[in-house]
Amino acid sequence: MQVNEFKPKIVAFCCNWCSYAGADLAGTNRLNYPADVKIIRVPCSCRVNPLFVLRAFQRGADGVIICGCHPGDCHYTTGNYYARRRMTLLFSMLDYLGIEKERTRVEWVSAAEGAKFAATMNDFVATVTKLGENKRLEDLRCKK
Amino acid sequence: MQRIGVFVCHCGTNIAGTVDVKAVAEAMKYENGVVFSTDYQYMCSEAGQNIIKDAIKEHKLTGIVVCSCSPRMHEATFRKAAQSVGLNPYMVEIANIREQCSWIHKDMATGTEKAIILARTAVAKVHLNAPLTSGETPVVKRALVIGGGIAGIQTALDIADAGFPVDIVEKLPTIGGKMSQIDKTFPTLDCAACILTPKMVDAAQNENIKIYSYSEVSGVKGFVGNFEVTIKRKARFVDETKCTGCGLCTEKCPQKRVPNEFNLGMDQRRAIYIPFAQAVPKIATIDADYCTMLKTGKCGVCSKVCTAGAIDYTQKDEFITEKYGAIVVATGFNPIKLDKYDEYAYSQSKDVITSLEFERLTNAAGPTAGKLLRPSDGKHPHKIVFVQCVGSRDTRECGKSYCSKICCMYTAKHAMLTREKYPDTEVYVFYIDVRTPGKNFDEFYRRAVEEYGVHYIKGMVGKVIPEGDKLIVRASDLISNEQLTIDADLVVLAAAIEPDKTARPLATMLTASMDTNDFFTEAHPKLRPVESPTAGIFLSGACQGPKDIPETVAQASAAAAKVIGLLVKDKMKNNACVAHSDENMCNGCSNCAKVCAYNAISYVDKEFRMPDRTTRVRRVAVVNDAVCQGCGACTVTCPSGAMDLKGFSNKQIMAEVDAICK
Ligand code: FES
């Protein structure tokens, strides 16, 4: 039996009002998703600076996902629209640099969508696992 | 250098079951800056909090990390504990090792490994935390209730009784909501109007309550304690201050063919109308879609008969803006449209009706003056079939997956009342399950079966076929495993209930969250059921989920209590995690002000001393702390990196990223 030993490093930025609560709900409902996902709480998806995403890849992350409220439902009204636009630009630039589009994602998960959160994470981890390790932007100096 | 303490909670076995908490506490001892690390059964308990407090004092901690449940749960608790011993509350970080770790992973090794990383991430963040203080802003001592059904009325009355002014915004010409259409209430069978109308009158007469009927909320700005709401007062073409509600116009109007929505279109009203006799406010309204005068300019009968001179055909929609400290949503529910359920022949036969229509048919003020007559031919029905769960507990696209909660009880009520008034009528009820939790509910249902001889049949109705003046009901009896055919005179469908259509756009305006069914979500499903996650927004009644009247009233009063708790405060603490601009880096480009949804950023000219000792004046951004909500949109927009968010600074988030990727 061949076991895939590769465990991707996934950074998930979740807005405090919807997606972080959605992640909590996934936990409350005991919905399983891989431990490779680590969540960073941000007030709103618009708080995610493209630099954070770059930093993650530089430090050896294999995938970065940004989760926010559904369009129109952002706690700060328009934050997720900014996030969507910024990330679209950033992701296409990353794609150009050789970070496959599948390694980056923006998803809308509401506070009531625990199941969607878990499903999204399962899917994302599976996709990134298939792609394998990300070496493109990794700064080897950061490796001890 | 910070002196950091780490506190790992077992949460009984909730965390300790899949995370080796001792190992986490041990591992943290070797993290940079950590001078104290321990674990305990329940960190949130008093004893647990004391451990934290003692450690802060004893080890002179400058920052702490609590590895426990979600920060949405107990962040406030631990912040308070830290503050009580003199540590700034913003020096506390939570590592969420329950909801986002122990509860989702099944084996100890994975759970522990992840918990250590999460704890390490929080430690990395706390290194960069800085003490924060929040300012205060005065609270506007006035509440807004959106929706004037029983939920809204009860909430408004309770708030008004505590001495605070409340405004009710109701989209229809009168308050009263669905309850005003109901005939009798289960399980006591008292008349709905007799218990509702006094409350409506109370609301109208209470000097603290102002009712904006025939109005809608069209815009919401601001935040808890200081909302600014625009209310659209729709033109009713009648001067509210002059109309006496005599009703003469509603008798004389020649346009008689307007479907009467109060009786669900089962009879007709005039183009100028007062919805029902006990309407509050009792003011006539012209229906612009049907009024001949408004459409063609010829008629004017109502204005001629009106002795008060209240008719004003030139009235326009009016917008007013008011300030409120708190907003209560009480937008209620509606039965779903049944056009997707054509197997029940709802659109084909007039004698297939919904339960709410049945309610009007049995109401003395209804289209048949309370006599149970078939809508098609006005004859008395001898065989009635009630179908439950029409659209409820239906996982198909057209249905609702949830239980509508009230249908079992009102169907039992309808069946019982029918048998009582017309003992010669045979009554059948088809059900999937009968659900009667509630005080005296099951007794009520059993009376319907045992005393009143209602035939309850477990099974679903497959098809209703209109044939002559009969309705052939094809159904299966799941207990005797038989196919049944009943030639009924009347079929009553217990349609699922769904949130009012206005709720979704309103949620967007309020930035309050909703679930996939468009019910408003509560801040915590168990512990904060009447608050929305958005501060200052409260939930009352069926807008939060299906509810019967007693539950609605209970929740309405609970919401009022929460509102009162907010309005008694003179000042509200502002959000401390606000944006802040470094004036040395800011070049005054205005990008941040453009993305700010709250207009919190302005610019000032500031003098800077240059290295050569001259001064130069530069335009720099300043953030108004009282208005900033801390979303962080500006921080990303800023091209020079001058803008940062306190509590979620660039450095802090980068440190978290680093810690995760290590
Ligand atoms: S708060 Fe969730 S995206 Fe803005």
Side-chain angles (χ1 to χ4, degrees):
Chain A
M1 193 176 73
Q2 209 224 326
V3 196
N4 190 355
E5 280 299 344
F6 172 58
K7 289 261 164 225
K9 279 183 190 154
I10 309 266
V11 179
F13 292 97
C14 291
C15 86
N16 179 45
W17 302 96
C18 282
S19 308
Y20 194 86
D24 278 357
L25 187 64
T28 311
N29 293 341
R30 313 296 197 274
L31 301 173
N32 196 242
Y33 60 87
D36 311 322
V37 179
K38 313 280 184 320
I39 296 172
I40 296 181
R41 184 163 71 125
V42 285
C44 171
S45 58
C46 70
R47 177 64 188 100
V48 181
N49 197 313
L51 289 176
F52 303 161
V53 180
L54 285 173
R55 174 79 156 217
F57 283 123
Q58 209 182 11
R59 292 292 163 121
D62 301 302
V64 175
I65 181 166
I66 292 139
C67 301
C69 313
H70 284 270
D73 289 352
C74 170
H75 183 74
Y76 308 98
T77 334
T78 49
N80 47 7
Y81 295 131
Y82 292 124
R84 182 166 65 181
R85 239 173 296 161
R86 286 167 188 159
M87 293 308 147
T88 314
L89 276 179
L90 174 71
F91 294 169
S92 61
M93 189 198 84
L94 283 174
D95 192 36
Y96 181 72
L97 293 179
I99 304 262
E100 299 89 333
K101 276 223 150 107
E102 292 77 16
R103 290 188 191 275
T104 48
R105 207 185 267 195
V106 173
E107 283 282 349
W108 313 130
V109 180
S110 83
E113 293 175 331
K116 179 173 177 189
F117 186 86
T120 306
M121 290 308 155
N122 279 319
D123 181 63
F124 188 57
V125 172
T127 317
V128 175
T129 310
K130 228 177 276 159
L131 286 174
E133 221 176 327
N134 159 52
K135 292 231 168 69
R136 220 35 210 238
L137 275 190
E138 191 173 359
D139 185 343
L140 290 176
R141 286 169 304 180
C142 302
K143 276 239 157 120
K144 350 158 240 230
Chain B
M1 187 69 185
Q2 306 267 26
R3 296 175 59 81
I4 298 169
V6 180
F7 303 87
V8 187
C9 180
H10 300 201
C11 194
T13 56
N14 281 311
I15 294 173
T18 33
V19 169
D20 183 348
V21 281
K22 294 246 184 287
V24 177
E26 186 59 29
M28 284 309 107
K29 288 196 176 133
Y30 304 103
E31 284 296 314
N32 192 11
V34 175
V35 294
F36 179 78
S37 175
T38 190
D39 61 281
Y40 184 68
Q41 277 264 308
Y42 289 103
M43 275 298 167
C44 58
S45 68
E46 200 183 332
Q49 291 189 40
N50 284 337
I51 293 180
I52 297 179
K53 290 181 197 169
D54 293 344
I56 293 176
K57 284 186 279 187
E58 193 183 318
H59 299 277
K60 304 200 171 46
L61 301 179
T62 58
I64 64 167
V65 168
V66 187
C67 305
S68 60
C69 52
S70 172
R72 296 162 40 83
M73 194 78 194
H74 276 314
E75 188 173 55
T77 316
F78 295 124
R79 280 184 171 170
K80 238 188 244 157
Q83 195 169 24
S84 72
V85 288
L87 181 65
N88 184 283
Y90 294 91
M91 298 307 291
V92 178
E93 285 295 331
I94 309 283
N96 185 344
I97 61 165
R98 192 177 77 174
E99 280 85 344
Q100 295 179 4
C101 185
S102 71
W103 274 353
I104 44 176
H105 305 310
K106 306 269 178 295
D107 74 290
M108 202 68 148
T110 323
T112 311
E113 191 191 341
K114 182 170 175 182
I116 290 176
I117 298 180
L118 293 179
R120 190 207 290 152
T121 308
V123 170
K125 185 178 183 192
V126 110
H127 263 292
L128 299 161
N129 278 22
L132 303 178
T133 42
S134 44
E136 288 178 329
T137 37
V139 172
V140 178
K141 293 185 179 268
R142 184 184 200 91
L144 171 68
V145 175
I146 305 172
I150 179 64
I153 295 172
Q154 184 65 42
T155 304
L157 283 172
D158 287 353
I159 299 172
D161 278 347
F164 296 105
V166 204
D167 295 353
I168 301 179
V169 171
E170 167 58 54
K171 67 176 188 302
L172 298 180
T174 172
I175 59 170
K178 289 284 168 310
M179 190 173 167
S180 64
Q181 289 173 296
I182 294 173
D183 183 40
K184 299 256 178 347
T185 57
F186 59 78
T188 46
L189 295 182
D190 39 3
C191 125
C194 318
I195 52 180
L196 174 69
T197 46
K199 279 201 183 287
M200 291 163 64
V201 175
D202 274 358
Q205 288 173 350
N206 194 310
E207 52 186 20
N208 276 331
I209 299 181
K210 193 153 157 196
I211 300 171
Y212 293 110
S213 62
Y214 211 49
S215 302
E216 274 162 24
V217 169
S218 65
V220 180
K221 281 206 283 236
F223 46 90
V224 54
N226 281 283
F227 291 106
E228 198 180 298
V229 180
T230 312
I231 299 166
K232 174 180 170 189
R233 313 218 56 202
K234 294 182 277 186
R236 69 197 315 165
F237 306 103
V238 172
D239 188 334
E240 287 187 20
T241 54
K242 290 189 190 150
C243 177
T244 58
C246 69
L248 194 60
C249 54
T250 67
E251 285 159 23
K252 292 286 183 286
C253 171
Q255 176 53 277
K256 299 179 191 167
R257 306 219 145 271
V258 186
N260 183 359
E261 50 284 89
F262 186 70
N263 284 332
L264 302 154
M266 287 190 293
D267 64 353
Q268 279 149 349
R269 59 162 169 83
R270 313 286 173 116
I272 186 164
Y273 66 109
I274 294 174
F276 54 97
Q278 300 89 342
V280 169
K282 202 166 181 195
I283 293 171
T285 304
I286 294 184
D287 188 336
D289 293 339
Y290 291 95
C291 172
T292 329
M293 183 67 181
L294 289 171
K295 282 185 11 198
T296 65
K298 287 191 213 91
C299 179
V301 170
C302 50
S303 112
K304 272 174 224 142
V305 298
C306 181
T307 47
I311 310 286
D312 174 6
Y313 298 114
T314 61
Q315 213 176 59
K316 292 252 148 46
D317 291 351
E318 199 189 319
F319 291 87
I320 53 168
T321 316
E322 273 285 359
K323 288 200 150 222
Y324 300 99
I327 299 178
V328 183
V329 185
T331 44
F333 71 94
N334 270 310
I336 60 165
K337 293 249 172 318
L338 290 178
D339 44 2
K340 297 251 169 59
Y341 287 88
D342 221 34
E343 62 264 39
Y344 301 124
Y346 179 71
S347 58
Q348 298 155 36
S349 169
K350 276 188 158 181
D351 296 330
V352 180
I353 59 174
T354 65
S355 299
L356 198 55
E357 286 165 356
F358 185 87
E359 203 76 56
R360 293 313 300 154
L361 280 185
T362 51
N363 187 291
T368 54
K371 281 197 233 23
L372 181 55
L373 302 174
R374 304 209 317 167
S376 64
D377 52 13
K379 281 199 202 123
H380 170 63
H382 292 283
K383 229 184 236 178
I384 305 182
V385 170
F386 288 90
V387 186
Q388 295 216 65
C389 288
V390 177
S392 304
R393 306 173 68 192
D394 180 351
T395 47
R396 288 176 300 165
E397 185 67 35
C398 56
K400 304 285 173 192
S401 56
Y402 51 85
C403 164
S404 294
K405 201 168 186 179
I406 54 175
C407 325
C408 283
M409 285 305 288
Y410 69 57
T411 300
K413 171 189 77 178
H414 289 163
M416 187 191 267
L417 288 174
T418 308
R419 291 280 299 160
E420 183 174 82
K421 262 201 194 161
Y422 310 99
D424 60 330
T425 314
E426 265 188 273
V427 176
Y428 296 87
V429 176
F430 284 93
Y431 66 94
I432 311 179
D433 293 296
V434 177
R435 297 181 162 177
T436 52
K439 200 169 164 182
N440 293 328
F441 283 14
D442 202 57
E443 292 87 329
F444 184 82
Y445 152 65
R446 281 210 310 272
R447 258 174 66 206
V449 179
E450 288 159 13
E451 276 176 43
Y452 289 88
V454 176
H455 306 299
Y456 266 78
I457 302 171
K458 187 176 174 80
M460 284 300 284
V461 171
K463 209 164 173 49
V464 177
I465 309 153
E467 224 175 81
D469 66 344
K470 289 280 182 201
L471 296 160
I472 311 297
V473 178
R474 294 247 163 84
S476 51
D477 181 334
L478 289 183
I479 290 177
S480 64
N481 209 359
E482 283 179 305
Q483 293 299 314
L484 301 177
T485 307
I486 299 173
D487 53 332
D489 299 315
L490 189 69
V491 172
V492 185
L493 307 176
I497 59 174
E498 62 180 358
D500 192 79
K501 287 276 171 288
T502 55
R504 175 51 78 175
L506 186 66
T508 305
M509 276 188 259
L510 297 170
T511 68
S513 45
M514 287 190 138
D515 64 16
T516 38
N517 292 312
D518 279 6
F519 286 113
F520 282 87
T521 34
E522 52 284 349
H524 189 281
K526 293 174 193 75
L527 302 177
R528 293 170 69 195
V530 299
E531 292 155 87
S532 144
T534 304
I537 311 287
F538 301 87
L539 309 175
S540 175
C543 67
Q544 181 259 345
K547 271 182 201 64
D548 60 18
I549 294 168
E551 273 182 321
T552 297
V553 173
Q555 204 206 10
S557 290
K562 287 283 170 193
V563 170
I564 295 162
L566 176 80
L567 296 187
V568 288
K569 291 199 186 106
D570 291 322
K571 287 198 166 107
M572 285 279 309
K573 271 226 182 320
N574 296 336
N575 176 14
C577 299
V578 289
H580 170 79
S581 167
D582 182 340
E583 49 188 31
N584 289 316
M585 279 152 88
C586 176
N587 67 5
C589 71
S590 314
N591 281 354
C592 52
K594 276 185 217 142
V595 297
C596 181
Y598 304 94
N599 285 327
I601 303 172
S602 55
Y603 293 88
V604 291
D605 288 327
K606 220 179 147 166
E607 250 178 46
F608 286 89
R609 278 175 77 80
M610 304 310 281
D612 60 357
R613 294 173 179 257
T614 56
T615 54
R616 223 178 86 190
V617 175
R618 251 186 328 117
R619 200 173 97 100
V620 293
V622 276
V623 178
N624 180 346
D625 286 358
V627 182
C628 177
Q629 294 299 296
C631 67
C634 55
T635 60
V636 183
T637 298
C638 180
S640 45
M643 202 51 102
D644 209 347
L645 189 64
K646 291 180 188 166
F648 294 93
S649 70
N650 290 333
K651 280 197 176 144
Q652 284 173 311
I653 297 177
M654 295 272 205
E656 287 180 89
V657 169
D658 291 357
I660 288 176
C661 296
K662 208 153 119 191

